[in-house]
Amino acid sequence: MGMFSKAMSMVWVLIIVCTQGQPLKAPKEISSKLSRNPQSLSLASSDYGHIVHETPLAVFEPSSIGDIRALINFSNSLPNPFTIAPRGQAHSVLGQAMAQNGVVVNMTKLNGTRIFVAPCDGKSPLGCYADVGGEQTWVDVLHETLKSGLTPLSWTDYLYLTVGGTLSNAGISGQAFRFGPQISNVLELDLVTGKGDLVTCSAEKNTEAFYAVLGGLGQFGVITRARIPLGPAPTRVKWLHLLYNDFTAFCRDQEHLISMNERNDSNAADYVEGMLLLNQPPLDLSFYPPSYHQCITSLVTQYGIIYIIELVKYYANNSQPIQQVANLVKELKFVPNFRFEKDVSYEEFLNRVHGEELYLRSKGLWEVPHPWLNIFVPRSRILDFNEGVFKGIILKQNITAGLVKVYPVNRNK
Ligand SMILES: Cc1cc2nc3c(=O)[nH]c(=O)nc-3n(C[C@H](O)[C@H](O)[C@H](O)COP(=O)(O)OP(=O)(O)OC[C@H]3O[C@@H](n4cnc5c(N)ncnc54)[C@H](O)[C@@H]3O)c2cc1C
């Protein structure tokens, strides 16, 4: 947990490090940015999971990349280097951004690269891209790139996460079947390595560092800049929910939808996900017109679990994709008439979880334990997973499940 996770035993008190009985002072530029105030320590000892609690010795608040290098160099100069963990928004669920008895680097204090959208004049061999500080949130990246009519291609469902944080994991959402996860959508990175060097890396340059850090759980370096490819931004989306009572039909249709993209079918969806509607409170029906709440509730009560395909077709203001959406759903085997559609702006769609966040915060249900699990299940076992877990455990044992999402991605992405 935390970068350089071989946590060494050490005695380390704020700016004085005792080694073999000799007090050792941290350099001034470091000590002035180390904080032990109770608020900072308490914040760095917790995360979105509210399951693991580990208190660091101090929180480091860098104002420059040079500060991060100085901290790492200082640690390396000691006989027993201390554990260092970069922390973005701490939306991890099991203490991944914590450093027991080490130093947590509060990346949000760093305002390094910020967000720079390169002029997209068709001349760059890289195409359109943005250079983004590792501490920036994806919601800010969205706002900034939209000003130029551009957008990153691959997202997470929730956008108040940092670029460094999701690139240290994977960054998966309903666009991953088309473009791959966010870690497959990076042209270049700047890193401060475990040796304190500032390194620029890509698929062509310093490749070992590049592929170690992407999905590297913060163990191989601190991401200070990422170059993210951009494409033209749509303005609006058709956002559909299709309800199924049969898991086999649900999976077959999801697979059919993502295969349309492989065949370069112009009707293909731009986003495909799926989720469970469980017969347990609270039944969230906010997507659906109130006049349908009663019949959806009856359906869920009858079957115990309803499976929802969530799909989206992007479009520009002046070109409603009515025929494409009709082609997209015409062969799908959802429960007849249980097809629901919204028409919203691209931004509203991408930032959809924020509304849920505000609602849950207002009910005191955001800062609660989140024992979340994300797993890849091979296609050959997904029906067993439904029988054994969704029906066998959640339904039969009536276990309160919270949000359950299930959707396919292509291995080649
Ligand atoms: C409501 C919600 C919805 C989510 N939805 C999705 C989703 O749809 N898809 C998805 O893929 N994930 C999703 N996640 C998970 C999320 O992507 C990860 O938890 C991610 O790590 C969060 O980013 P963060 O900035 O909070 O990172 P943190 O939790 O702060 O850090 C995560 C890891 O990255 C390291 N790290 C942080 N910054 C840097 C950096 N600059 N350089 C190197 N290492 C760094 C940390 O040390 C830690 O190991 C969701 C999380 C929440 C809370």
Side-chain angles (χ1 to χ4, degrees), residues 1-3 47-49 68 84-93 95-98 105 107-108 110 133-138 155-174 181-182 190-192 213 216-225 273 352-353 357 366 370 372 374 403 405 407:
M1 227 158 276
M3 192 176 153
D47 63 15
Y48 186 75
I68 299 174
I84 298 173
R87 180 185 196 272
Q89 292 291 327
H91 279 99
S92 297
V93 290
Q96 285 89 339
M98 293 178 197
V105 181
M107 294 299 291
T108 63
L110 178 74
E135 75 285 5
Q136 299 293 332
T137 58
W138 284 102
W155 293 96
T156 46
D157 292 353
Y158 176 62
L159 304 186
Y160 291 75
L161 308 167
T162 66
V163 169
T166 73
L167 294 185
S168 298
N169 283 275
I172 298 182
S173 187
Q182 289 180 326
D190 281 348
L191 309 172
V192 182
V213 164
L217 299 174
Q219 303 294 304
F220 298 95
V222 180
I223 299 169
T224 54
R225 179 186 62 95
E273 280 203 8
R352 62 200 175 280
V353 179
E357 173 183 1
W366 185 255
H370 292 103
W372 284 6
N374 295 296
L403 181 68
K405 297 204 143 200
Y407 53 95

Side-chain angles (χ1 to χ4, degrees), residues 39-76:
Q39 216 179 345
S40 305
L41 290 180
S42 152
L43 205 66
S45 315
S46 184
D47 63 15
Y48 186 75
H50 289 286
I51 295 164
V52 171
H53 297 275
E54 290 180 351
T55 310
L57 276 181
V59 176
F60 189 64
E61 300 186 333
S63 46
S64 70
I65 292 166
D67 289 344
I68 299 174
R69 296 185 64 192
L71 179 77
I72 293 174
N73 285 333
F74 173 57
S75 174
N76 286 339

Side-chain angles (χ1 to χ4, degrees), residues 121-380:
D121 50 14
K123 289 183 193 151
S124 163
L126 294 175
C128 305
Y129 66 84
D131 277 326
V132 177
E135 75 285 5
Q136 299 293 332
T137 58
W138 284 102
V139 72
D140 288 340
V141 176
L142 175 65
H143 289 148
E144 209 48 44
T145 53
L146 283 183
K147 287 180 193 165
S148 306
L150 297 167
T151 175
L153 306 169
S154 184
W155 293 96
T156 46
D157 292 353
Y158 176 62
L159 304 186
Y160 291 75
L161 308 167
T162 66
V163 169
T166 73
L167 294 185
S168 298
N169 283 275
I172 298 182
S173 187
Q175 301 87 356
F177 77 91
R178 298 176 64 205
F179 301 108
Q182 289 180 326
I183 53 171
S184 303
N185 288 271
V186 180
L187 299 171
E188 190 177 276
L189 294 172
D190 281 348
L191 309 172
V192 182
T193 67
K195 289 183 178 165
D197 299 329
L198 180 62
V199 168
T200 299
C201 59
S202 67
E204 286 80 39
K205 189 169 151 191
N206 295 317
T207 49
E208 214 175 356
F210 186 67
Y211 290 116
V213 164
L214 291 171
L217 299 174
Q219 303 294 304
F220 298 95
V222 180
I223 299 169
T224 54
R225 179 186 62 95
R227 178 164 287 179
I228 310 291
L230 305 174
T235 45
R236 298 203 62 83
V237 315
K238 292 280 182 205
W239 181 9
L240 273 72
H241 276 197
L242 311 171
L243 274 51
Y244 290 73
N245 54 20
D246 174 13
F247 189 70
T248 305
F250 163 84
C251 289
R252 200 188 308 118
D253 283 356
Q254 277 188 326
E255 287 175 22
H256 165 72
L257 286 166
I258 74 167
S259 75
M260 289 173 82
N261 180 64
E262 296 289 284
R263 298 194 306 269
N264 292 326
D265 186 327
S266 62
N267 292 316
D270 293 298
Y271 163 105
V272 177
E273 280 203 8
M275 62 192 125
L276 269 50
L277 196 56
L278 294 162
N279 186 22
Q280 50 182 234
L283 200 58
D284 180 7
L285 300 178
S286 53
F287 187 88
Y288 312 103
S291 55
Y292 278 86
H293 287 189
Q294 188 52 51
C295 55
I296 296 173
T297 306
S298 304
L299 201 66
V300 181
T301 311
Q302 185 184 349
Y303 292 98
I305 306 180
I306 290 298
Y307 309 93
I308 303 169
I309 290 187
E310 183 178 42
L311 68 87
V312 157
K313 189 80 192 157
Y314 298 159
Y315 71 101
N317 267 339
N318 51 359
S319 61
Q320 288 258 352
I322 293 168
Q323 194 51 50
Q324 284 147 306
V325 170
N327 292 343
L328 201 51
V329 300
K330 74 176 175 211
E331 284 169 21
L332 304 183
K333 300 281 185 288
F334 49 90
V335 183
N337 301 323
F338 283 81
R339 167 199 156 164
F340 302 93
E341 186 175 315
K342 276 187 181 179
D343 190 309
V344 297
S345 75
Y346 178 62
E347 193 175 344
E348 202 178 333
F349 168 68
L350 286 184
N351 204 8
R352 62 200 175 280
V353 179
H354 187 50
E356 288 173 37
E357 173 183 1
L358 296 178
Y359 172 77
L360 291 171
R361 278 190 189 280
S362 74
K363 301 268 171 218
L365 291 173
W366 185 255
E367 301 290 348
V368 294
H370 292 103
W372 284 6
L373 172 69
N374 295 296
I375 52 173
F376 285 103
V377 179
R379 181 186 186 216
S380 58

